[in-house]
Every structure is written in C-alpha cells, then in structure tokens.
Amino acid sequence: MYQLARPALFAMDAESAHRFTLGALRRAPWLLSAFPEAGEDPVEVMGLRFRNRLGLAAGLDKNAECIDAWTRLGFGLIEIGTVTPKPQPGNPRPRMFRLPEHGAIINRLGFNNAGLDVVLDNIRGSDRGGARLGINLGKNAVTPAEHALDDYREGMQRAYELADYLTVNISSPNTVGLRDLQAGQARDALLRGLADCREMLAQQHGRRVPVAIKIAPDLEPDEVRTLGDAVVNVGFEALIATNTTIHRDAVAGHRYAGEAGGLSGDPVREPSTRLLRLLREHLGSACALIGVGGVMRPEHAVEKLRAGADLVQIYTGFIYAGPALVARSVDVMRQAGFTQVKP
Ligand SMILES: Cc1cc2nc3c(=O)[nH]c(=O)nc-3n(C[C@H](O)[C@H](O)[C@H](O)COP(=O)(O)O)c2cc1C
C-alpha cells in the first residue's frame, strides 16, 4: 500500500508531503490500521516496561498531532518533539530535502514547533495505547546559550506528569550553539541543573521519570566517553545515539549535498552504530542506550541491538520503507533472540 502512495508523496517537496501525511493521519488515524501491527516482545529498560523495542524517533511528530495513529502500528515507544517552551517557526523554507539515491534526508527545520502549551494539550487529548511516550525537549532559538538551562527546566517541569520518559536534546545541528552543550562546563552545569530539577519533581510527583540525553554522531571518541560518564554521574538513565550528522562525505556530489543541516538515513548508520558500540563498551550496563540512525531495514535494527542498544528508533527509514517497517523490525528483532541488557 505504501509503495502505491509513495510516488505521490515523493512528487511533493519533502516538507509538504510530511505536512500532508500528518494532516491525513490526524483526521483519520485508522488509515494506519491497514498496516500490520507490531507484535509484543516485552523488555524492561530505564525501569519501564516496553511492549517491544521499536520506537518512533523525535522530529516526525513534533507537535503530538498523530499519537492515535502511531499507536495503531504497535510501536513500543513514541517520542514527541522536539518541543520548545514557546512556539517558534523554525528556519525559512525550503529546509528539508530528500536524497533518494542515498536513502537519506537533509533537514534544517530548526525546531519548528507549536510550543509546550499546544503540544502538552495534544498529548492530553490523545490515546497512547500500549506505547510508552517520550517527550523530547529543546530550547528556543532566541534563548541565549547561557540561559539554556531555563528552557530545558521549564520543559521538564511542565512535561513531567505526561511523560513516560524525557529526552534532553543537545544535539540538533540546526539551533546555533546547541551542540556546545555536549561538552565542558556548559554540559556539566546543564546536567547538574536538570538532575536537581528532576529530583525535586520526583519528590513532588512521587514518581521518578527517567531522563535520556540525545547526542550527535559527530563527537570524537574521547568526547563520547566523557559525555557518557557525565550522564551516568548525574544519575540519568539513558543516552540516545544519535541525532543527524553535519558531515557530507557519504553524499558528496549530490545536488543537495551543499545544503546546510543534519543528514539522516543510510549515511548516518555506520557512524551512529560505531558511537553506540563505543558507549556500550565504555559504560557497560551503567546506562540504557537507545540506538537511532540509518535503520532502513529490519536487519539494521538488529545491528543496533548487537552494538549494545536496548531500544531502537526510526525516522528516515519510515519515510523510505513505510509503516510496514515497524512490524517487520519487531519480528526480526524478536527472532534474533536478544537477552536483555539490564540498565
Ligand atoms: C526531518 C527531520 C527532523 C528531525 N527533528 C528532530 C527533532 O526535532 N528532535 C530530535 O531529537 N531529532 C530530530 N531528528 C533526528 C531523528 O530523530 C534521528 O535522530 C535521526 O534522523 C537519525 O535517525 P534516522 O536515520 O532513522 O532518521 C529529525 C530528523 C529528521 C530527518
């Protein structure tokens, strides 16, 4: 079915196709019931039980418009966002490009989103079914780097009660200075501030919501190890590896290769999996790992598990292979028979 719809969607520019699809799924979530629903393959990660290990990566449903549709595909986890405290338009269009020859996308959307008020309302009005819901938090473009903590703290405080887990996104290449929060004093101050905030919220709510830090594939091995240690030391539960890459070697010569932004899909799989493996080797079982980047076929999801992932997310593979990738990946991961790495 998706093979029939795809040519029509791919005839539109990438962002229009995305908007069109989300609009259709918001009005008619049952459209996705035409695809097989992923089976159960329960796993416990970050202290939470997930019905299976496959998730929708952040960015596909930034505003939580289609949760009712995603649940019909049987995702184990659905990550909403990135959401910023205030609504913001993002960068000027065009800002999203398909590179079908490479199974890739370049985007520089820049956290276009409806803001916390609307996104949290959308979540309240939706049915997450058996899926776990992650809320991915960012900072507004106008917030100076030295006040980044304020934006993340506001996101954490307001999203806390609705989230099964929270993601702190410090790895988008499309917000100036954001990735600098992955290193040095800026990182340490941010992590400490958020760890204190989470402690306070855990007391208030009587529930400890796990926190994941989402990182870039373009870090050097030493930076990855130091960042991993810092996340474990403040007591956060998971790392999400990885966001998009700013490198273009894999798509050199393509007419869109010179477009600014983050590259996702096939070309990011290897660097992303390498970083995931490094984290697992370095951290052992001290932290849960969510593998994302270049899962275009079910076997790629198994590769992520082999490299040390506890859970796997998809974005670009979903655009190219369609909704059937979800159930097939869960099947193939189940058949691969992974014993769980207990965080
Ligand atoms: C168009 C687009 C928008 C994205 N927006 C976000 C976002 O808002 N927040 C985020 O954490 N990641 C975002 N991502 C990154 C994905 O969640 C994922 O980490 C990355 O694309 C690698 O996975 P993939 O190769 O399966 O796409 C976005 C990716 C794409 C392609």
Side-chain angles (χ1 to χ4, degrees), residues 14 18 55-62 79-83 95-97 103-113 136-138 167-174 214-215 217 240-245 262-269 272 291-296 304 313-319 325:
H18 190 226
L56 184 72
L60 212 152
D61 191 3
K62 290 175 190 275
E79 194 165 311
I80 291 308
T82 294
V83 55
R95 52 191 182 175
M96 187 171 165
F97 308 88
I105 293 175
I106 291 174
N107 93 83
R108 53 167 178 273
L109 293 170
F111 291 166
N112 56 318
N113 78 103
N136 179 307
L137 306 171
T167 297
V168 178
N169 180 8
I170 47 174
S171 48
S172 165
N174 302 316
K214 184 161 178 178
I215 68 175
I240 305 186
T242 64
N243 214 310
T244 55
T245 177
L263 173 70
S264 60
D266 236 0
V268 82
R269 182 171 55 257
S272 175
V292 50
V295 174
M296 313 299 284
K304 297 286 185 197
Q313 293 177 328
I314 54 171
Y315 187 139
T316 305
F318 191 84
I319 305 297
L325 180 62

Side-chain angles (χ1 to χ4, degrees), residues 35-39 54 73 298 323-332 334:
F35 297 90
E37 185 180 349
L54 196 76
L73 291 177
L325 180 62
V326 180
R328 284 196 286 123
S329 299
V330 169
D331 266 354
V332 175
R334 191 199 301 110

Side-chain angles (χ1 to χ4, degrees), residues 87-246:
Q88 62 178 32
N91 291 318
R93 286 172 79 162
R95 52 191 182 175
M96 187 171 165
F97 308 88
R98 287 187 214 95
L99 294 73
E101 303 84 349
H102 296 283
I105 293 175
I106 291 174
N107 93 83
R108 53 167 178 273
L109 293 170
F111 291 166
N112 56 318
N113 78 103
L116 275 171
D117 284 343
V118 170
V119 172
L120 297 180
D121 267 356
N122 287 348
I123 292 174
R124 282 190 196 94
S126 65
D127 175 9
R128 64 183 74 175
R132 292 294 187 177
L133 198 79
I135 305 180
N136 179 307
L137 306 171
K139 80 170 210 28
N140 280 113
V142 294
T143 306
E146 60 275 23
H147 294 302
L149 174 60
D150 297 339
D151 276 13
Y152 288 105
R153 205 160 27 201
E154 181 175 347
M156 186 178 262
Q157 283 164 344
R158 298 187 54 202
Y160 197 86
E161 59 168 346
L162 290 174
D164 289 313
Y165 72 93
L166 291 164
T167 297
V168 178
N169 180 8
I170 47 174
S171 48
S172 165
N174 302 316
T175 296
V176 177
L178 195 83
R179 288 172 308 149
D180 297 340
L181 296 170
Q182 296 177 113
Q185 280 186 348
R187 171 198 63 214
D188 293 341
L190 180 74
L191 291 181
R192 251 196 327 269
L194 290 178
D196 290 347
C197 181
R198 200 265 299 260
E199 269 335 294
M200 200 190 64
L201 291 165
Q203 300 275 328
Q204 258 174 35
H205 292 259
R207 181 171 75 102
R208 207 178 164 78
V209 174
V211 175
I213 305 293
K214 184 161 178 178
I215 68 175
D218 305 324
L219 298 165
E220 294 301 322
D222 271 352
E223 296 174 314
V224 173
R225 285 187 278 260
T226 322
L227 178 52
D229 288 339
V231 169
V232 170
N233 286 339
V234 296
F236 285 155
E237 286 73 10
L239 284 140
I240 305 186
T242 64
N243 214 310
T244 55
T245 177
I246 57 167

Side-chain angles (χ1 to χ4, degrees), residues 236-314:
F236 285 155
E237 286 73 10
L239 284 140
I240 305 186
T242 64
N243 214 310
T244 55
T245 177
I246 57 167
H247 293 306
R248 295 289 188 271
D249 320 0
V251 298
H254 191 280
R255 68 186 171 121
Y256 291 139
E259 294 290 347
L263 173 70
S264 60
D266 236 0
V268 82
R269 182 171 55 257
E270 207 208 288
S272 175
T273 304
R274 203 180 320 126
L275 193 152
L276 178 69
R277 189 175 296 113
L278 174 68
L279 276 172
R280 180 56 81 205
E281 282 166 5
H282 183 65
L283 298 176
S285 58
C287 197
L289 297 178
I290 303 179
V292 50
V295 174
M296 313 299 284
R297 296 201 302 268
E299 310 85 77
H300 300 152
V302 177
E303 266 177 42
K304 297 286 185 197
L305 298 183
R306 290 219 168 90
D310 299 294
L311 300 166
V312 177
Q313 293 177 328
I314 54 171

